[in-house]
Amino acid sequence: MASPMRSLLADPDRYLQSFRLFLERSTEHQSMQEFVEKQLPGVIASIGNGKSTINVLSVGGGAGEMDLQILSKIHARYPGVTINNDVIEPSADQVSKYKERVAQASNLENIQFTWHTETAYEYESRMNAEKKTKKWDFIHMIQMLYYVKDVPATIRYFHSLLESQAKLLIILVSGNSGWETLWKKYGSSFPLEDLCSYVSSGDLPRMLDSAGLKYQLYELPSHMDITSCFIEGDKEGELLLDFLTETLDFAKTAPPELKRQLMEELRKPGCSECRDGKVFFNNNLGVIVIEP
């Protein structure tokens, strides 16, 4: 009898291990970097017009890798302007890595950092309790909406904090990705107590339309090499399977029939593409830029 499946987030160390391996094996950050290089300058073209200070809020900033690239673009667009960058990130480990990254970076003059080691919901509750409604010129939420209890309410709250020229940038897995196929089919079989909602860029237009918000959508191609997932007993393959299913030791604890079906699904065109003897999972991302 297989032991009961548990959420990957029950073991923060293994979660971080699997997440780092995912970043190594996927083109996730390269895809985002390309967006930051090519599309972001247009998105931020007017957020700081006539301002001596630009306020940026990063919701779920992680270890800051993408944040610093975004800030460098804002800095380049508005040289000499002071940038206040506030970061909401619940993981103390990620916050300390972010601080290390800032300490080692050389191009951050005029940028001031404030970190809040809390969830988006805790930040919102604290601001409401303190009766604060600070406004922001740019807010971004990169790969974090899966971890909130109420996605539409979270978007509505942060959207309400936008200045008149501001933008809210959201990056999620695409509605055309392997994640969408995998989670729509098997999500109900995974232990989801910590990952609150499976949401993709395909779900957002409905939410945003019903809230009457204006937005643009972009699709970012990305893939991940999951070949090692099909090698029985491969440690890295097992870590990647944990990440794909958000399940701790999926290979060892999943019921055999679920494991068999999932491994079959992962090879199918809805999830992956087989090239040169390797299996590449469709990790496409969706970007949503919301107007004030």
Side-chain angles (χ1 to χ4, degrees), residues 65-80:
E65 191 173 342
M66 293 314 303
D67 284 22
L68 295 192
Q69 296 189 32
I70 289 169
L71 288 170
S72 78
K73 284 283 171 256
I74 297 173
H75 193 261
R77 173 69 183 81
Y78 300 100

Side-chain angles (χ1 to χ4, degrees), residues 17-257:
Q17 255 185 301
S18 68
F19 175 61
R20 288 190 188 122
L21 184 63
F22 157 72
L23 288 180
E24 259 174 56
R25 293 291 174 85
S26 74
T27 58
E28 168 108 351
H29 273 177
Q30 294 89 313
S31 299
M32 289 187 200
Q33 281 158 356
E34 194 165 314
F35 175 82
V36 168
E37 283 302 316
K38 294 183 176 165
Q39 312 283 354
L40 188 68
V43 172
I44 60 168
S46 58
I47 62 167
N49 284 357
K51 301 200 167 201
S52 56
T53 302
I54 295 175
N55 295 314
V56 178
L57 182 62
S58 163
V59 187
E65 191 173 342
M66 293 314 303
D67 284 22
L68 295 192
Q69 296 189 32
I70 289 169
L71 288 170
S72 78
K73 284 283 171 256
I74 297 173
H75 193 261
R77 173 69 183 81
Y78 300 100
V81 168
T82 299
I83 299 171
N84 290 325
N85 185 65
D86 277 39
V87 181
I88 300 167
E89 170 51 56
S91 161
D93 178 73
Q94 294 286 79
V95 168
S96 84
K97 288 197 166 48
Y98 196 139
K99 289 178 176 175
E100 279 168 33
R101 193 166 256 132
V102 168
Q104 289 159 8
S106 57
N107 56 344
L108 301 177
E109 64 278 2
N110 297 349
I111 304 178
Q112 290 159 1
F113 291 86
T114 308
W115 287 273
H116 307 277
T117 310
E118 58 192 347
T119 65
Y121 180 71
E122 286 163 351
Y123 175 86
E124 179 182 344
S125 305
R126 185 168 61 80
M127 288 294 137
N128 289 336
E130 294 171 10
K131 299 200 167 25
K132 285 183 180 166
T133 49
K134 181 168 179 178
K135 295 279 186 175
W136 302 89
D137 301 302
F138 189 61
I139 300 176
H140 57 87
M141 309 165 127
I142 297 177
Q143 294 288 46
M144 62 69 66
L145 277 177
Y146 324 110
Y147 304 97
V148 303
K149 288 270 189 286
D150 185 335
V151 174
T154 300
I155 293 173
R156 274 199 307 275
Y157 171 71
F158 286 102
H159 179 265
S160 76
L161 306 181
L162 292 178
E163 289 280 17
S164 60
Q165 296 286 311
K167 296 282 193 291
L168 169 59
L169 172 86
I170 296 172
I171 301 184
L172 283 172
V173 297
S174 164
N176 305 313
S177 68
W179 294 101
E180 177 87 348
T181 308
L182 197 64
W183 283 78
K184 286 281 188 277
K185 200 158 186 179
Y186 295 103
S188 58
S189 308
F190 301 148
L192 273 188
E193 64 268 24
D194 290 285
L195 186 80
C196 302
S197 50
Y198 174 70
V199 59
S200 76
S201 67
D203 300 311
L204 287 199
R206 183 177 39 82
M207 295 177 195
L208 301 176
D209 291 342
S210 69
L213 299 179
K214 280 175 27 188
Y215 56 91
Q216 281 105 33
L217 283 169
Y218 305 82
E219 182 88 1
L220 310 185
S222 174
H223 59 76
M224 166 168 61
D225 184 347
I226 59 166
T227 313
S228 59
C229 292
F230 301 95
I231 303 166
E232 196 63 43
D234 185 283
K235 291 280 176 279
E236 293 195 335
E238 288 181 358
L239 267 177
L240 287 177
L241 272 178
D242 285 11
F243 192 77
L244 285 163
T245 60
E246 288 286 333
T247 303
L248 187 59
D249 287 321
F250 177 84
K252 296 186 176 76
T253 64
E257 184 53 22

Side-chain angles (χ1 to χ4, degrees), residues 178 224 226 230 265-274 279-282:
M224 166 168 61
I226 59 166
F230 301 95
E265 192 69 42
L266 279 174
R267 285 186 181 274
K268 289 182 184 169
C271 274
S272 303
E273 186 188 355
C274 298
V279 185
F280 293 98
F281 183 75
N282 178 331

